[in-house]
Amino acid sequence: MAHQVEQNAPPPAEKGQRPIKSSLRSPAGPKKLSFKEKRELEALPKRIEQLEKEHEKINMQMADPAFYQQAGFVTETKKRIEAIQSELTGHYKRWEELEDFSLTLAP
């Protein structure tokens, strides 16, 4: 019977070459937040605040009975409210992920 080679095993290294690391292995140390992730984490609170202010402003407009006399505007405004709520949910989730990740790296 012929010698069987594992399908996922890297090819053997030649003399003088380093063996190829398997992509299935995790890096030696914990991954740090990238520069982009750090900037994203810093920007999220401001973006969330902007969205919350816009949400509050729209709610104030919708509290006025005259608002509902504007036929097409009402539908557009309701869609914007839904979009803001969806964005806020996504931003809060991402903020939590980045915060949790940065806290796990803290000494």
Side-chain angles (χ1 to χ4, degrees):
M1 185 180 266
H3 185 298
Q4 293 182 352
V5 179
E6 289 184 42
Q7 291 179 358
N8 293 334
E14 295 180 21
K15 286 188 176 184
Q17 290 184 341
R18 291 182 164 187
I20 299 172
K21 291 185 179 180
S22 171
S23 61
L24 300 175
R25 295 182 192 165
S26 62
K31 179 182 171 271
K32 295 182 181 180
L33 286 177
S34 69
F35 178 80
K36 183 179 175 183
E37 290 170 329
K38 287 178 186 176
R39 296 299 161 251
E40 181 183 5
L41 181 58
E42 291 171 1
L44 277 171
K46 185 176 181 179
R47 180 64 183 142
I48 288 170
E49 183 179 355
Q50 290 171 341
L51 288 169
E52 287 177 339
K53 284 182 180 181
E54 183 182 357
H55 190 272
E56 184 179 337
K57 180 182 174 185
I58 292 172
N59 281 332
M60 295 291 283
Q61 292 172 345
M62 291 176 74
D64 183 2
F67 173 81
Y68 292 95
Q69 296 172 354
Q70 305 169 14
F73 189 66
V74 173
T75 305
E76 291 174 21
T77 305
K78 287 182 179 181
K79 286 181 183 179
R80 180 62 189 146
I81 286 281
E82 291 171 3
I84 290 171
Q85 290 171 336
S86 177
E87 263 187 88
L88 282 170
T89 301
H91 287 324
Y92 277 122
K93 182 179 178 185
R94 181 65 176 152
W95 190 11
E96 186 178 330
E97 289 170 356
L98 291 171
E99 280 286 321
D100 287 348
F101 187 73
S102 68
L103 289 176
T104 59
L105 297 176

